[in-house]
Amino acid sequence: MISHMANELRVPLLSFAVTDPVMSPLQFPYFIRTSQSDLYQMEAIASIVDLYGWKEVIAVFVDDDYGRNGVAALNDKLASRRLRITYKAGLHPDNAVNKNEIMNMLIKIMLLQPRIIVIHVYSELGFAVFKEAKYLGMMGNGYVWIATDWLSTTLDSSSPLPSERLESIQGALVLRPHTPDSKLKREFFARWRKNPDAPLALHTYGLYAYDSVMLLARALDKYFKHGGKISFSNDSMLDALGKSGSLNLEAMTVFDGGEALLKDILGTHMVGLTGQLQFTTDRSRIRPAYDIINVAGTGVRQIGYWSNHSGLSVLPPESLTKPNMSASQKLRHVIWPGEAFQKPRGWAFSNNGKELKIGVPRRVSYKEFVSQIRGTEYMFKGFCIDVFTAAVNLLPYAVPVKFIPYGNGKENPSYTHMVEMITSGNFDGVVGDIAIVTNRTKIVDFTQPYAASGLVVVAPFKKLNSGAWAFLRPFNRLMWAVTACCFLFVGIVVWILEHRINDEFRGPPKRQCVTILWFSFSTMFFAHRENTVSTLGRLVLIIWLFVVLIINSSYTASLTSILTVQQLSSPIKGIDSLREMDDRIGYQVGSFAERYLRDELNISESRLVPLGSPEAYAKALKDGPRKGGVAAIVDERPYVELFLSSNCAYRIVGQEFTKSGWGFAFPRDSPLAIDLSTAILELAENGDLQRIHDKWLMKNACTLENAELESDRLHLKSFWGLFLICGVACVLALFLYFVQIIRQLYNGKPSEEEEDAIGRENHDSSSLRSTRLQRFLSLMDEKEDVSKAGSKKRKIDGSVNDNSVSRHSRRLDSFNSVNPLD
């Protein structure tokens, strides 16, 4: 009401005690808050709750504007961190002496699961709540009490606090507006203690009051220096209202310099007892901060600080020059209610005997996982139930549960619909073979997976007998074709390299073709009779023989495996080949496989066939798509393994194409999901999880070894490196060979035809090209004299200017001298 009056009269209103976040300059343009808004105090509380990993709190507040608006701000700050207020308990401001109402409120809180209580009241009402809470045992182990700054104000101003009150707040966390330590502050406290008329110990709001007066004094000084005057004028609206009523409003006048004084106040920057006093654009103090204290023993302990600049820290905010990283957010050790040093879990099951309603699927197939005990309504057994029971038994507290069957008992229920019933409040959780998939994790929280799962393809298979053509099976068709081409290619390359100097690679065309074929394929058995003379030919041959050695060894090993080990075959190789076919696909009723095949893999719904039992699986696979059955079945691995343990005519083909697991579902942010996850990990570590698995799912009727069908053929991709090396060697050898031929073509003595063509080159260039081509082909085909090649070495010692005729004459003379008789 005073703020409305200040607006009408244009008088700036400085408040050092109003912390209500609703007081906004948009609504009250002349209102200036020199303290800190509860908006920041509630953000500090939300940071504490988030730091310790708690998810839900209970708010106890005084039911007026101060309390309601403060709790509304707390709710917003918690929601921004995915936290929430579970229950709001409002108390009338005059209920400090109403013991029964406070007791009833605390009993309701005791019946709730959260154990984090934020109390935002006035001092007398707050101590009344703490007194009754201690009487009910709510100030003991497991509870957390967080009080706003009303309690720190009382602790600072009432020294010493009566022992009864101090005893009732042991272990509580308290927020106090932060004021930096400074020389100015210490000197002021020294003067205050010397004042015999000081009635109370000075608390933070007293410092705010002092700074507010100093701020106004400086602003008035600035106002007068700028020529401001204190003058008032009448308001026509007030005059009209005053004449029409009995309130005498016409006596009230409007301050003429209100706007200028307001501007001077907001523009004044000073360092006071509470630190830097400066305002932001929304008229809040810059860098609001709070001390976080812990009531312990006969006093309080400072465990840290919070500011909107640095967050939670054990260092004063003014000492931090840059924002504190989230990984560095921390507080000192806390002594919790009940003198506990370990962080409370933050929640517990209520004491009103309420049982958790746990939904359990009423399966009609694969009852080894979960099934209802015959003759009972709420009793179940199976692998999933045993895992859940074992995990609950590891929890450090009792969890009363009641299993609620879900399904009509005639077919497997929809697990997605069952999970959705958690969000509607019908179930407090769901236990069973529930796959953790994306659309379900968006609405509920799952525990740690207790069983690995994923979709696989099951198809019939046939045994491959070692018949008359079994020797062809080690290589696939492409491998056979490429290998044969390589044999021919290498034979041709060696023939080209050896043709001019090796008599074994010469002769009529028919004989040469036979030689190429014989030489090529005889290298497979290292039985080639032709010798290679040229260096390039020998290089190509040695590399090719290495390739043949690897191919022979691989072929022999694969053929041995085919003839001695049972081989399996299926036309379906995995989910990709299944998608390309038009045959029908089976899936389990109620499984998420239907949605995945339809929505993710875009398989037509007309191809999908629901099947409800292992017997239906076997019959559909046996009949096949031609007799109204299915070509394959897509289901989760645990079901498939159990199915294959008693049906040896089918196998998993391809790889598992989704990765997921089974978990227990609970509402979002449920602390029970976190505790059960820890218990499941403990079961896995101590071996109990495996023992439960073996108890229900270990079957010996049919071995599962080599269940996944893999192709036993050797493919080209395993040998392409060898073929590449051999091909490069052949191409390189051919290149060097042709370089030598071309050098002989241009460096040798031209023939008579070439000389005639050269003489006519200006008249007929095509004749020259034709002559040279004929010369090139003749060089390719003519027999090169090996002795001529050897004499090239002896030319180095002779004169380069001697012609071939003189060299030949000298050799004849030398020969005749050695053989005079001849």
Side-chain angles (χ1 to χ4, degrees):
M1 185 175 65
I2 296 176
S3 300
H4 283 291
M5 292 177 60
N7 288 346
E8 293 297 331
L9 302 180
R10 300 175 188 173
V11 177
L13 173 61
L14 275 72
S15 173
F16 57 85
V18 175
T19 59
D20 187 347
V22 172
M23 298 293 291
S24 166
L26 296 176
Q27 185 179 5
F28 305 104
Y30 284 88
F31 175 78
I32 304 172
R33 194 197 320 267
T34 58
S35 60
Q36 297 178 165
S37 169
D38 280 340
L39 192 68
Y40 301 108
Q41 182 172 209
M42 298 309 172
E43 186 174 353
I45 293 176
S47 298
I48 295 173
V49 174
D50 191 30
L51 174 68
Y52 289 111
W54 300 318
K55 299 295 183 182
E56 299 177 342
V57 303
I58 295 174
V60 177
F61 63 99
V62 58
D63 196 6
D64 61 6
D65 289 344
Y66 161 75
R68 287 191 296 268
N69 295 335
V71 170
L74 175 62
N75 188 67
D76 293 340
K77 296 301 181 182
L78 290 172
S80 66
R81 301 170 181 265
R82 288 191 63 186
L83 313 174
R84 66 190 183 102
I85 299 177
T86 303
Y87 180 70
K88 300 177 182 178
L91 292 172
H92 195 275
D94 299 330
N95 280 356
V97 295
N98 193 335
K99 176 180 177 180
N100 291 334
E101 186 170 347
I102 294 176
M103 187 74 75
N104 292 335
M105 180 267 295
L106 291 176
I107 291 175
K108 290 180 181 179
I109 292 176
M110 290 179 65
L111 299 179
L112 300 175
Q113 292 185 1
R115 290 292 183 261
I116 314 300
I117 303 172
V118 178
I119 180 167
H120 183 57
V121 295
Y122 302 124
S123 59
E124 290 301 318
L125 184 56
F127 282 111
V129 171
F130 275 117
K131 180 181 178 181
E132 301 305 326
K134 180 173 178 57
Y135 175 78
L136 293 174
M138 298 177 66
M139 295 303 299
N141 235 337
Y143 282 90
V144 176
W145 289 81
I146 303 176
T148 54
D149 58 8
W150 67 267
L151 183 52
S152 62
T153 301
T154 305
L155 291 172
D156 292 341
S157 60
S158 302
S159 181
L161 195 67
S163 59
E164 181 183 0
R165 288 192 168 185
L166 187 62
E167 186 67 24
S168 66
I169 60 174
Q170 290 293 307
L173 295 180
V174 187
L175 271 70
R176 176 172 59 195
H178 174 69
T179 57
D181 186 26
S182 64
K183 182 180 179 181
L184 181 66
K185 179 180 173 182
R186 290 193 298 270
E187 291 176 350
F188 180 83
F189 271 107
R191 296 198 307 271
W192 180 265
R193 285 191 291 268
K194 293 179 181 179
N195 185 1
D197 298 328
L200 296 172
L202 199 62
H203 55 74
T204 306
Y205 285 97
L207 303 181
Y208 282 139
Y210 183 89
D211 282 351
S212 300
V213 175
M214 294 299 297
L215 174 67
L216 180 58
R218 295 192 181 193
L220 284 171
D221 184 61
K222 185 187 300 184
Y223 174 76
F224 289 129
K225 286 182 178 180
H226 291 155
K229 296 180 179 180
I230 303 298
S231 62
F232 300 89
S233 60
N234 294 327
D235 190 331
S236 59
M237 184 178 296
L238 292 176
D239 289 342
L241 291 174
K243 294 177 181 180
S244 62
S246 59
L247 294 178
N248 198 22
L249 295 178
E250 67 275 8
M252 302 180 68
T253 55
V254 176
F255 180 37
D256 296 329
E259 285 286 346
L261 181 58
L262 176 64
K263 183 178 180 181
D264 289 336
I265 293 174
L266 295 176
T268 300
H269 300 165
M270 58 171 282
V271 178
L273 302 180
T274 58
Q276 181 71 29
L277 185 53
Q278 183 178 343
F279 299 98
T280 62
T281 55
D282 61 352
R283 298 186 188 177
S284 298
R285 290 191 58 157
I286 62 170
R287 293 196 176 183
Y290 286 87
D291 299 337
I292 303 172
I293 59 179
N294 178 213
V295 181
T298 59
V300 296
R301 300 169 54 246
Q302 179 112 10
I303 63 171
Y305 305 87
W306 177 91
S307 77
N308 70 334
H309 170 71
S310 59
L312 296 172
S313 172
V314 295
L315 300 175
E318 59 271 12
S319 66
L320 300 175
T321 58
K322 58 183 181 180
N324 197 17
M325 302 301 293
S326 59
S328 303
Q329 305 280 311
K330 62 180 179 179
L331 296 174
R332 295 187 180 93
H333 294 296
V334 180
I335 301 177
W336 304 100
E339 298 183 355
F341 291 92
Q342 185 177 3
K343 183 201 77 172
R345 187 171 60 251
W347 73 284
F349 279 99
S350 57
N351 298 327
N352 61 354
K354 178 184 176 182
E355 296 177 320
L356 293 180
K357 295 180 295 183
I358 303 297
V360 182
R362 185 183 291 173
R363 294 194 59 90
V364 297
S365 63
Y366 297 111
K367 293 187 176 182
E368 293 86 351
F369 296 104
V370 58
S371 64
Q372 189 173 14
I373 298 177
R374 182 175 299 179
T376 64
E377 186 176 359
Y378 303 113
M379 297 181 66
F380 288 82
K381 64 179 181 179
F383 168 69
C384 303
I385 301 299
D386 280 6
V387 172
F388 177 75
T389 304
V392 167
N393 291 336
L394 290 177
L395 298 179
Y397 49 86
V399 181
V401 299
K402 180 180 181 181
F403 292 136
I404 307 297
Y406 179 80
N408 55 21
K410 298 179 181 178
E411 62 179 8
N412 295 331
S414 170
Y415 283 19
T416 300
H417 294 164
M418 183 169 60
V419 169
E420 290 173 350
M421 294 186 69
I422 296 178
T423 61
S424 62
N426 293 322
F427 292 145
D428 297 317
V430 170
V431 170
D433 44 337
I434 314 297
I436 304 174
V437 293
T438 303
N439 64 324
R440 297 173 185 172
T441 57
K442 293 179 180 179
I443 58 176
V444 297
D445 281 350
F446 281 91
T447 63
Q448 172 79 15
Y450 62 89
S453 180
L455 294 179
V456 294
V457 178
V458 181
F461 72 95
K462 62 179 180 179
K463 298 179 180 180
L464 295 180
N465 299 320
S466 55
W469 300 98
F471 67 92
L472 295 176
R473 281 169 46 198
F475 293 160
N476 63 359
R477 294 180 180 178
L478 180 61
M479 182 65 184
W480 279 118
V482 172
T483 302
C485 292
C486 284
F487 273 104
L488 291 175
F489 177 69
V490 171
I492 294 173
V493 170
V494 172
W495 176 83
I496 293 174
L497 298 175
E498 296 289 325
H499 176 66
R500 300 183 68 236
I501 60 176
N502 193 338
D503 290 335
E504 295 181 357
F505 289 88
R506 297 186 63 82
K510 182 177 180 181
R511 178 185 172 187
Q512 294 182 40
C513 291
V514 173
T515 300
I516 292 174
L517 294 176
W518 166 255
F519 179 83
S520 299
F521 291 102
S522 62
T523 56
M524 180 185 298
F525 310 102
F526 307 98
H528 52 286
R529 295 177 301 177
E530 294 79 8
N531 293 320
T532 52
V533 176
S534 67
T535 303
L536 295 177
R538 290 174 177 176
L539 175 64
V540 170
L541 183 60
I542 194 65
I543 294 176
W544 173 243
L545 291 178
F546 175 74
V547 174
V548 170
L549 175 65
I550 301 300
I551 293 176
N552 281 344
S553 301
S554 303
Y555 176 86
T556 304
S558 180
L559 183 60
T560 302
S561 174
I562 291 173
L563 297 178
T564 58
V565 179
Q566 178 64 65
Q567 301 294 318
L568 308 177
S569 175
S570 173
I572 300 173
K573 304 304 179 183
I575 188 62
D576 293 331
S577 63
L578 191 61
R579 290 176 61 185
E580 297 172 357
M581 302 169 63
D582 294 328
D583 295 334
R584 301 203 302 171
I585 305 170
Y587 68 91
Q588 184 180 174
V589 176
S591 172
F592 78 97
E594 177 191 10
R595 182 199 61 80
Y596 186 87
L597 294 172
R598 185 184 64 246
D599 300 339
E600 301 296 333
L601 301 182
N602 298 320
I603 296 178
S604 173
E605 192 170 357
S606 60
R607 294 180 56 193
L608 303 180
V609 180
L611 302 172
S613 65
E615 294 76 16
Y617 280 18
K619 184 178 186 304
L621 289 172
K622 182 179 180 181
D623 292 343
R626 296 182 179 179
K627 297 182 180 180
V630 296
I633 291 174
V634 175
D635 204 352
E636 296 177 67
R637 180 175 284 275
Y639 303 121
V640 170
E641 290 179 349
L642 195 60
F643 168 72
L644 296 179
S645 65
S646 56
N647 292 271
C648 300
Y650 314 103
R651 288 291 184 270
I652 296 174
V653 294
Q655 300 293 327
E656 187 174 285
F657 56 93
T658 65
K659 295 292 183 181
S660 62
W662 288 353
F664 306 129
F666 292 93
R668 297 297 297 269
D669 301 322
S670 171
L672 186 58
I674 299 175
D675 290 351
L676 278 177
S677 294
T678 304
I680 290 172
L681 289 175
E682 187 175 346
L683 287 175
E685 291 171 358
N686 61 25
D688 288 344
L689 189 61
Q690 185 61 42
R691 283 188 284 272
I692 296 174
H693 176 276
D694 295 343
K695 171 187 174 182
W696 289 98
L697 306 180
M698 184 60 70
K699 303 293 182 180
N700 298 320
C702 183
T703 179
L704 293 179
E705 293 182 1
N706 300 322
E708 296 188 11
L709 295 177
E710 299 290 345
S711 177
D712 57 345
R713 290 188 170 186
L714 299 176
H715 296 267
L716 178 63
K717 62 182 180 181
S718 302
F719 299 92
W720 72 269
L722 292 172
F723 289 128
L724 178 63
I725 294 173
C726 183
V728 170
C730 292
V731 172
L732 181 62
L734 288 175
F735 174 76
L736 295 176
Y737 176 77
F738 285 120
V739 167
Q740 295 176 1
I741 297 296
I742 293 174
R743 288 182 61 187
Q744 293 183 24
L745 176 65
Y746 284 94
N747 295 336
K749 182 180 179 180
S751 62
E752 295 180 357
E753 292 81 0
E754 287 180 330
E755 290 178 350
D756 295 340
I758 292 173
R760 300 190 304 271
E761 62 180 352
N762 295 329
H763 303 284
D764 190 2
S765 59
S766 60
S767 176
L768 177 61
R769 287 196 297 269
S770 175
T771 304
R772 287 185 173 176
L773 178 61
Q774 294 176 3
R775 174 61 178 162
F776 175 78
L777 294 178
S778 63
L779 283 175
M780 288 285 296
D781 186 60
E782 73 178 6
K783 177 75 167 67
E784 183 177 356
D785 190 358
V786 180
S787 63
K788 184 186 296 185
S791 66
K792 291 179 182 179
K793 296 181 181 179
R794 295 191 296 271
K795 287 182 181 181
I796 299 175
D797 299 329
S799 175
V800 294
N801 296 322
D802 293 341
N803 56 46
S804 57
V805 177
S806 61
R807 289 198 304 270
H808 182 65
S809 300
R810 285 197 297 270
R811 286 199 299 270
L812 289 176
D813 293 340
S814 175
F815 179 76
N816 293 330
S817 63
V818 176
N819 301 283
L821 295 179
D822 295 339

